[in-house]
Amino acid sequence: MTKIQIKVIVPITDSKYNDAFKEEIKAVLAPDADFDLVNVTQGTDSIESRYQEFLNTGSIIELAKQAQDEKFDAIYVDCFGEPGVGIARELVDIPVVGGFTPAVLTANAVAQRYSIVTMLPDVIPMLEELERDLGITNNIVSNLYVDIPVQDLTHRRKLIERLFEQSLQAIEQGAQAIVLGCTGMINVAADVHKLLADEKKPAPVIAPTKAAITMLQSLVRMGISQSRLTYYASPDEPRGVWSSVLRITAGTGWR
Amino acid sequence: MTKIQIKVIVPITDSKYNDAFKEEIKAVLAPDADFDLVNVTQGTDSIESRYQEFLNTGSIIELAKQAQDEKFDAIYVDCFGEPGVGIARELVDIPVVGGFTPAVLTANAVAQRYSIVTMLPDVIPMLEELERDLGITNNIVSNLYVDIPVQDLTHRRKLIERLFEQSLQAIEQGAQAIVLGCTGMINVAADVHKLLADEKKPAPVIAPTKAAITMLQSLVRMGISQSRLTYYASPDEPRGVWSSVLRITAGTGWR
Amino acid sequence: MTKIQIKVIVPITDSKYNDAFKEEIKAVLAPDADFDLVNVTQGTDSIESRYQEFLNTGSIIELAKQAQDEKFDAIYVDCFGEPGVGIARELVDIPVVGGFTPAVLTANAVAQRYSIVTMLPDVIPMLEELERDLGITNNIVSNLYVDIPVQDLTHRRKLIERLFEQSLQAIEQGAQAIVLGCTGMINVAADVHKLLADEKKPAPVIAPTKAAITMLQSLVRMGISQSRLTYYASPDEPRGVWSSVLRITAGTGWR
Amino acid sequence: MTKIQIKVIVPITDSKYNDAFKEEIKAVLAPDADFDLVNVTQGTDSIESRYQEFLNTGSIIELAKQAQDEKFDAIYVDCFGEPGVGIARELVDIPVVGGFTPAVLTANAVAQRYSIVTMLPDVIPMLEELERDLGITNNIVSNLYVDIPVQDLTHRRKLIERLFEQSLQAIEQGAQAIVLGCTGMINVAADVHKLLADEKKPAPVIAPTKAAITMLQSLVRMGISQSRLTYYASPDEPRGVWSSVLRITAGTGWR
Amino acid sequence: MTKIQIKVIVPITDSKYNDAFKEEIKAVLAPDADFDLVNVTQGTDSIESRYQEFLNTGSIIELAKQAQDEKFDAIYVDCFGEPGVGIARELVDIPVVGGFTPAVLTANAVAQRYSIVTMLPDVIPMLEELERDLGITNNIVSNLYVDIPVQDLTHRRKLIERLFEQSLQAIEQGAQAIVLGCTGMINVAADVHKLLADEKKPAPVIAPTKAAITMLQSLVRMGISQSRLTYYASPDEPRGVWSSVLRITAGTGWR
Amino acid sequence: MTKIQIKVIVPITDSKYNDAFKEEIKAVLAPDADFDLVNVTQGTDSIESRYQEFLNTGSIIELAKQAQDEKFDAIYVDCFGEPGVGIARELVDIPVVGGFTPAVLTANAVAQRYSIVTMLPDVIPMLEELERDLGITNNIVSNLYVDIPVQDLTHRRKLIERLFEQSLQAIEQGAQAIVLGCTGMINVAADVHKLLADEKKPAPVIAPTKAAITMLQSLVRMGISQSRLTYYASPDEPRGVWSSVLRITAGTGWR
């Protein structure tokens, strides 16, 4: 049996979450699906701004193209902010998703209105753009944040507590489901849901990586990929630019 | 290995599409997933109006409750119009979907804007309601129809031709993906996509049953079901009403 | 003088509000209009879920068809949630309304933005669907609730007090008019308005039954009914299903 | 029996439509309702621009205040564009409507989506503003026009023919009801509807004056008027300005 | 060098703000731009209602037509509520703006979402209409007010303090920029911004007059004016009405 | 007199339009404003995809940071698609705009609804994203294209002709103003407007570079820049990544 092969691109240089990511992904893989996880080889160790997204995009799309060359069936860019996803969708034919779209569409499938709880206020305007681009703004009750820097994500108990508080506030505002707004919020969705259920507010809590990995399996099984009428193929030859970058980066830096 | 068990409720009494439905479903099942398909035992042989939806809803929700009792993991009501789905979501805890929501959300994952092509103009206002309820109206370019009665769905060649024509028109209007707006449009998505690609308009064509079956597998793997804050449990005892209906129907009619 | 004859269908089996309903209706009848009020003969004694709506719909639409046969001019389904209204609009040619649409459109005629105050949180997602279907979501400031079970509606003083509190909150949020979100909130609109006016917040308070009964008189005078392009006539023969149900119900149960 | 007294302000100086207006109004009056119709005493003989609206507004609001002083119960400004209505709503406590709002809300009560067919393209941007203000833009399919100057409204046959053509086009675009976008389109709604029904496109056709007169009766019966939180009372004393104008106008008229 | 000549129409009779207006305007004039500021000659000394807007509109549009006759290049109606602007746009060919549109579009250029802080609650529904007309409602977080009568605008310290408080609240609600919602809020924007920046909430604070004067210079440099497809020229001859009004007002009142 | 200094970054390597850009910019400069125009030093010679945007972004933001260091007052990225603008807004404090936002907001200031006419269909989904991000989607009538590759922009006559045709179609669809959707459409706006006016459809035609250069002058005069609550400053140190890229590029490639 040939398996569905998913390339997981962790778009930060820091690999300390990799094991946790792998656990999370394995939990939602079908028996006929497998994955390979790699970090970007160039970029920052976290992404909290448009600029940091840019810095890491070069390596993301390079890895995406490699994944297609190596016959992977689908690509997951393991970041809620979906850095490089639109570009990669132009460059490869296999389906590519980030964390935002699958998580939000899952929430949309099980609830009318929902909130996103992310790490810091700084990224909320970037989420707002993603929400507007996806055309589901009217279903968003609020964008909240736990006010914990991404580096502190390892304080799991504190994270769960803050997510619970913010989720309760979201529900008070009208949310019927909660989307975890950072793929680094690993292994907490069930706990937050449990706490909410204990308060008689049993909102589904959506973990973005699980939503993404299952959506990719679905797309592969359906034979559906990003529309070429939304993501037109980029003109064939970038006229020598990118290859020269590649040459450089091969030597020292970009990668 | 315990398999993911999906109950497929065909909400019309006519079983002539059953074999084709089964083929379509099998094509997107993971090795650890299985399904059982049943027709409603009471109702009409097609659904083209709100009234016909109502007539078939009693049996749909009865089958949904049975499915939960029999430890199924998920329920698919095999109709684009999603008859009885909202009610069933109140009555059972396992995830329930119809054809509309998964198909449209799949389109939303791969394109900005898309159109639905259904059978007849009469159901378009019902689709409009579903679109409004889902909160994605701004992404809908148009609701078109092939103008073929559901009973004529078996003229496969004619159906493909008409879908191709309407899809081209939708793309002309701005659509970047096409949603097949009837679960009876079986085994045609790939052909329509091929024709569009030949015209250099390679819009993804979404088959609703495939979208639904894959979404249910995703929800089960994630442990996510419809929100109880959107679909509150109905008050426990319907005060003798439903049981009396059951008593009657057990004897003669409703079922 | 032939009078405008309005059939009022109380879609619950409980008749304890009937006298109050009648008083409310009489207050807004023109001299050339009359009504006949009946309870459903089958169903639950209150409606707080989609499932309960379904359980009562069979009798509602049966009564609606009878009303047309008996030459009534219009039909009011006396429930804010409008159970069975969409179906009845397919089945009869005379105008049919529930409580939601007339009340909300009345608010829309006298204010830019308004809130709905209903009984319990459980029905708010159902209201949200109605709001989306009507296409006026942007004018809704909030959906609030008094947190009183429908059965306790008879505690009039408490109801008025809670409505006043919630209305004040709605006004604080930006509402300029208040829609009472349950047709069982009888004979309280004027009192709530008075309390608001005393606080210098004289928002109009709309009682849904009054809005519905006056709208029906308007539609009849104009000769306007639901559009057959929104509510297509259901295919002529439901193929023996419904008539068999009728046969049963004639004997024992459904009615 | 004290009757509901409606003041009808024809906001143009031309009285040639008055008899027709009166016929139309009588057709929808309840036995306990009556009306008095007057033309503005100052202004233009038709309104096709924002400037013409302004020129006629002084007399409109003067007549509105007089109507309240004379104990009328409600005011109808007999023009689809609703000139002076917002201002009059600030100045009097009795309900005031123009033609647009009642007609559009009536369409909204009987169909999901509808079009307006007016006289000339020049007023469409003014309609667009009214639509946006009412918050129902998403339900508007299109604003079309018969391309007949208001002065030619008397060519009834031609008007019906052009309305029929444009209505068919609107229905083709998705409209399910038609709103006549000029109160001068008198006594044609039924004919247009008949023609549409003959084409199997039986969209309701809404005549704005009938919608307005019936809505006013409804508001009076309900005891509801424009919200003082939307239309705040203008500061008490316009500081001598208006009274001096009054002094002038008392002598000669507004002019 | 011929300068860009801007006519500034202060649409209230009170000239006590004129010097401050002039200072504010000078601060944003290019070397090749100049202005002439006049008060309306007829009307009220402040505008806080639709009625007051009307009372002052006659003089506004008269001054606008004079400005065009005198070869001015652009017109600014110095009021956030934009009284008479739509009418003046019909009557003259040179660009006309009020305070609202330029300020809000400036906010839209530098932030996703923003709030307006005005003087009193009474004008918020009028702002809501302007927001809806401009089609940017979804970007508005809230309309807040400092609760100071326009006449008290001269208490500059109190105004700054109240603006700061309300701006902080707006930012808490999600606003990323603040629009001062009254052109009488002169010479306070920088101070409010400074206070916000000190709180680490450095939202831009937009002064409407500065936004308007700079936008007019931009429009003149680009050779762009209001669209004649939005603001059709009013029919040529208002049939003797307006000229006769002029005759009267020349003698006694209107002007 | 210190002049307002605007840095114009032409985000493509091709300099053949530079003289034309300069002419266009000079036409709208105030006497106290000046500009310096540079091409990116690394990237592609045109931008028609997300990927090409990315390839040119590194140099764009480098030039933006230099511009701030060199005490420029404002930055214009001379491309309708606004590549790198969001990132640059994070990195510098002086105002940065691209072509899209100023042009669309100018259209919004002079018309209710408008269309964009761009070069090729491939970029329309990218425009759709910009429109959604700006929150003005409801004012967009359509996105049309002249179907001319950017390289052929020099065929001025053909371009004008095609723009005229598409503008007429846009107006037919409801547009009241036309936005030229490519900054390479130089020196054609007046001609297209003239042709439209000759057809009695005098829609304003907005040239994006003129809109951008005038908006920047306005922002500088007002002392307003992008909101730091929308464009948070990126974390201070990109942790060695970017500086290493700079080192490389200094030697050979990226710059």
Side-chain angles (χ1 to χ4, degrees), chain A residues 42-46 49-52 54-55 57-58 61 65 86-87 90-91 121-122 125 129 132-135 151 229-232 234-235 238-239 241-242 244-245 248 252-254, chain F residues 42-46 49-52 54-55 57-58 61 65 86-87 90-91 121-122 125 129 132-135 151 229-232 234-235 238-239 241-242 244-245 248 252-254:
Chain A
Q42 175 88 3
T44 57
D45 59 7
S46 75
S49 69
R50 294 168 182 84
Y51 178 50
Q52 291 179 325
F54 166 72
L55 289 176
T57 292
I61 60 184
K65 291 200 295 185
I87 300 167
E90 286 183 355
L91 297 175
D122 306 34
E129 278 182 29
R132 293 183 178 203
D133 289 349
L134 198 58
Q151 292 90 324
L229 302 178
T230 310
Y231 303 94
Y232 283 84
S234 186
R239 288 138 212 158
V241 171
W242 184 244
S244 74
V245 171
I248 305 161
T252 47
W254 180 257
Chain F
Q42 175 88 3
T44 57
D45 58 8
S46 76
S49 69
R50 294 168 183 85
Y51 178 51
Q52 291 180 323
F54 166 72
L55 289 176
T57 292
I61 60 183
K65 292 199 294 184
I87 300 168
E90 286 184 353
L91 296 175
D122 306 34
E129 277 182 30
R132 293 183 178 203
D133 288 350
L134 199 58
Q151 293 88 325
L229 302 178
T230 312
Y231 303 93
Y232 283 83
S234 186
R239 289 140 212 159
V241 172
W242 184 244
S244 74
V245 172
I248 306 161
T252 47
W254 179 255

Side-chain angles (χ1 to χ4, degrees), chain C residues 2-109:
Chain C
T2 313
K3 291 198 167 187
I4 296 171
Q5 298 289 349
I6 299 173
K7 173 65 77 177
V8 177
I9 299 172
V10 180
I12 53 172
T13 53
D14 191 341
S15 61
K16 74 167 173 246
Y17 304 110
N18 285 11
D19 285 347
F21 285 150
K22 288 177 185 172
E23 284 310 304
E24 199 180 17
I25 292 166
K26 280 177 195 163
V28 294
L29 278 183
D32 61 347
D34 211 344
F35 73 101
D36 180 60
L37 182 149
V38 293
N39 287 80
V40 290
T41 53
Q42 174 88 3
T44 57
D45 59 8
S46 76
I47 297 183
E48 296 168 32
S49 69
R50 294 168 183 84
Y51 178 50
Q52 290 179 325
E53 282 193 351
F54 167 72
L55 289 175
N56 298 19
T57 292
S59 185
I60 292 167
I61 60 183
E62 199 54 27
L63 290 168
K65 292 200 294 184
Q66 281 178 21
Q68 174 161 283
D69 291 346
E70 294 166 6
K71 307 298 179 198
F72 276 82
D73 297 296
I75 295 167
Y76 171 44
V77 178
D78 191 340
C79 178
F80 198 70
E82 310 208 324
V85 167
I87 301 167
R89 285 181 154 202
E90 286 184 353
L91 297 174
V92 303
D93 291 322
I94 56 176
V96 185
V97 301
F100 173 82
T101 298
V104 163
L105 295 181
T106 299
N108 220 100

Side-chain angles (χ1 to χ4, degrees), chain D residues 105-125:
Chain D
L105 295 181
T106 299
N108 219 102
V110 296
Q112 281 170 330
R113 306 179 74 218
Y114 39 85
S115 287
I116 297 174
V117 186
T118 188
M119 301 304 290
L120 292 170
D122 307 34
V123 299
I124 288 180

Side-chain angles (χ1 to χ4, degrees), chain B residues 39-158:
Chain B
N39 287 81
V40 290
T41 53
Q42 175 87 4
T44 57
D45 58 8
S46 75
I47 297 182
E48 297 168 31
S49 69
R50 294 169 183 82
Y51 178 50
Q52 290 179 326
E53 283 193 350
F54 166 72
L55 289 176
N56 299 19
T57 292
S59 186
I60 293 167
I61 59 184
E62 200 53 28
L63 290 168
K65 292 200 294 185
Q66 281 177 21
Q68 173 160 286
D69 291 347
E70 295 166 5
K71 308 299 179 196
F72 277 83
D73 297 295
I75 295 167
Y76 170 45
V77 178
D78 192 340
C79 178
F80 198 71
E82 310 208 325
V85 167
I87 301 167
R89 285 181 154 202
E90 287 183 354
L91 297 175
V92 301
D93 291 323
I94 55 176
V96 185
V97 301
F100 173 83
T101 297
V104 163
L105 295 181
T106 299
N108 220 100
V110 296
Q112 281 170 330
R113 306 178 75 219
Y114 41 86
S115 287
I116 297 174
V117 186
T118 188
M119 300 305 290
L120 292 171
D122 307 34
V123 299
I124 287 180
M126 298 158 72
L127 295 187
E128 174 88 18
E129 276 181 29
L130 290 167
E131 293 161 9
R132 293 183 179 204
D133 290 349
L134 198 57
I136 45 72
T137 306
N138 290 337
N139 295 339
I140 300 281
V141 171
S142 55
N143 294 306
L144 302 174
Y145 56 97
V146 291
D147 219 356
I148 300 177
V150 176
Q151 293 89 325
D152 288 6
L153 268 172
T154 43
H155 297 88
R156 190 167 166 274
R157 189 172 307 270
K158 183 180 169 193

Side-chain angles (χ1 to χ4, degrees), chain F residues 188-200:
Chain F
V188 295
D191 293 79
V192 176
H193 177 69
K194 175 75 167 53
L195 289 170
L196 292 173
D198 289 349
E199 292 283 321
K200 308 286 186 209

Side-chain angles (χ1 to χ4, degrees), chain D residues 69-141:
Chain D
D69 290 346
E70 294 165 5
K71 308 298 180 197
F72 277 83
D73 298 295
I75 295 167
Y76 170 45
V77 178
D78 191 339
C79 178
F80 198 71
E82 311 207 324
V85 168
I87 301 167
R89 285 181 154 202
E90 286 184 354
L91 297 174
V92 302
D93 290 323
I94 55 176
V96 185
V97 301
F100 172 83
T101 297
V104 163
L105 295 181
T106 299
N108 219 102
V110 296
Q112 281 170 330
R113 306 179 74 218
Y114 39 85
S115 287
I116 297 174
V117 186
T118 188
M119 301 304 290
L120 292 170
D122 307 34
V123 299
I124 288 180
M126 297 158 72
L127 296 187
E128 173 87 19
E129 277 182 29
L130 290 167
E131 292 160 11
R132 292 183 179 203
D133 289 349
L134 199 56
I136 46 72
T137 306
N138 291 336
N139 295 339
I140 301 281
V141 171

Side-chain angles (χ1 to χ4, degrees), chain A residues 66-193:
Chain A
Q66 281 177 21
Q68 174 161 285
D69 291 346
E70 294 166 4
K71 308 299 180 196
F72 277 82
D73 297 296
I75 294 167
Y76 170 45
V77 179
D78 191 339
C79 178
F80 198 71
E82 310 206 326
V85 168
I87 300 167
R89 285 181 154 201
E90 286 183 355
L91 297 175
V92 302
D93 291 322
I94 55 176
V96 185
V97 302
F100 173 83
T101 298
V104 163
L105 295 181
T106 299
N108 220 101
V110 297
Q112 282 170 330
R113 306 179 75 218
Y114 39 88
S115 287
I116 297 174
V117 186
T118 188
M119 301 304 291
L120 292 170
D122 306 34
V123 299
I124 287 180
M126 298 158 72
L127 295 187
E128 174 88 19
E129 278 182 29
L130 290 167
E131 292 160 10
R132 293 183 178 203
D133 289 349
L134 198 58
I136 45 71
T137 306
N138 291 337
N139 296 339
I140 301 281
V141 171
S142 56
N143 294 306
L144 302 175
Y145 56 97
V146 290
D147 219 356
I148 299 177
V150 176
Q151 292 90 324
D152 288 6
L153 269 170
T154 43
H155 297 87
R156 190 167 166 274
R157 189 173 307 272
K158 183 180 169 194
L159 176 61
I160 289 171
E161 191 181 289
R162 292 287 294 144
L163 282 170
F164 170 56
E165 287 167 21
Q166 294 301 305
S167 297
L168 270 187
Q169 183 179 333
I171 291 165
E172 179 75 17
Q173 293 168 339
Q176 301 157 351
I178 302 297
V179 174
L180 300 184
C182 177
T183 57
M185 293 169 168
I186 306 167
N187 193 22
V188 296
D191 293 80
V192 176
H193 177 69

